Amino acid sequence: MTLENSLNIGALAKATGTKVETIRWYERVGLLAAPARTAGNYRTYGEPHLGRLSFIRRARDLGFSLEQIRTLLDLAEDRERSCDAVDAIAREHLGEVDRKIADLQALRRELDSLSGQCRHGKVAECRIIEALAPAPHLLSSSVSK
């Protein structure tokens, strides 16, 4: 990408759906290389920045942690390397996703059960509010601390 078709930070943000402050933060934490500067000291981003930021955004959208993304980016730089390490990270993340899904399914069952207890009466008699309120013994022990 030449200077004529380089991107300023706003254009890079728009092209990747990333906030300008997030781009600057990625630069500060070393996920995105510092860009070249114009004579007027404006950032100019090229194809490598666009590709790398797009990768970061997609990985974040899939829920990968910043450390996992950093490792994946490091691994991606050695194109001849075995992809076993990449696969291990993806499988580890898949396990995390499965755990979150199980937690959400348990949460759904609990909310469904609470909703099923609603008698459509007055709030003072609401089984949902009652179930969400802390047990009286928990209130007295937390107040005394």
Side-chain angles (χ1 to χ4, degrees):
M1 191 173 264
T2 63
L3 189 57
E4 295 83 44
N5 60 3
S6 63
L7 301 169
N8 64 31
I9 197 166
L12 181 64
K14 186 175 182 179
T16 59
T18 308
K19 293 179 181 177
V20 168
E21 280 306 310
T22 302
I23 294 171
R24 290 182 181 139
W25 186 77
Y26 286 152
E27 289 174 21
R28 283 193 301 274
V29 299
L31 282 176
L32 194 62
R37 298 278 184 156
T38 66
N41 205 30
Y42 290 101
R43 291 171 165 91
T44 58
Y45 298 89
E47 286 290 337
H49 292 101
L50 179 62
R52 190 169 177 105
L53 185 56
S54 296
F55 180 98
I56 293 167
R57 288 289 306 174
R58 178 74 174 127
R60 290 298 289 153
D61 289 345
L62 291 172
F64 284 94
S65 71
L66 291 176
E67 282 312 307
Q68 288 171 323
I69 293 169
R70 186 182 307 278
T71 302
L72 289 170
L73 287 167
D74 289 343
L75 291 167
E77 290 182 15
D78 185 358
R79 309 290 290 170
E80 297 303 314
R81 184 177 176 164
S82 164
C83 68
D84 289 345
V86 174
D87 185 56
I89 292 168
R91 288 184 183 282
E92 174 189 350
H93 185 57
L94 181 59
E96 293 166 9
V97 169
D98 286 340
R99 283 186 291 281
K100 287 177 184 176
I101 289 170
D103 289 346
L104 286 170
Q105 288 172 334
L107 176 61
R108 189 194 187 294
R109 284 189 301 273
E110 181 68 20
L111 288 171
D112 187 50
S113 172
L114 286 173
S115 258
Q117 294 177 28
C118 183
R119 294 194 177 101
H120 305 286
K122 297 184 188 271
V123 171
E125 302 158 348
C126 182
R127 306 288 292 182
I128 296 170
I129 296 292
E130 182 182 305
L132 293 174
H137 72 278
L138 293 177
L139 284 177
S140 61
S141 64
S142 65
V143 171
S144 62
K145 290 183 181 178

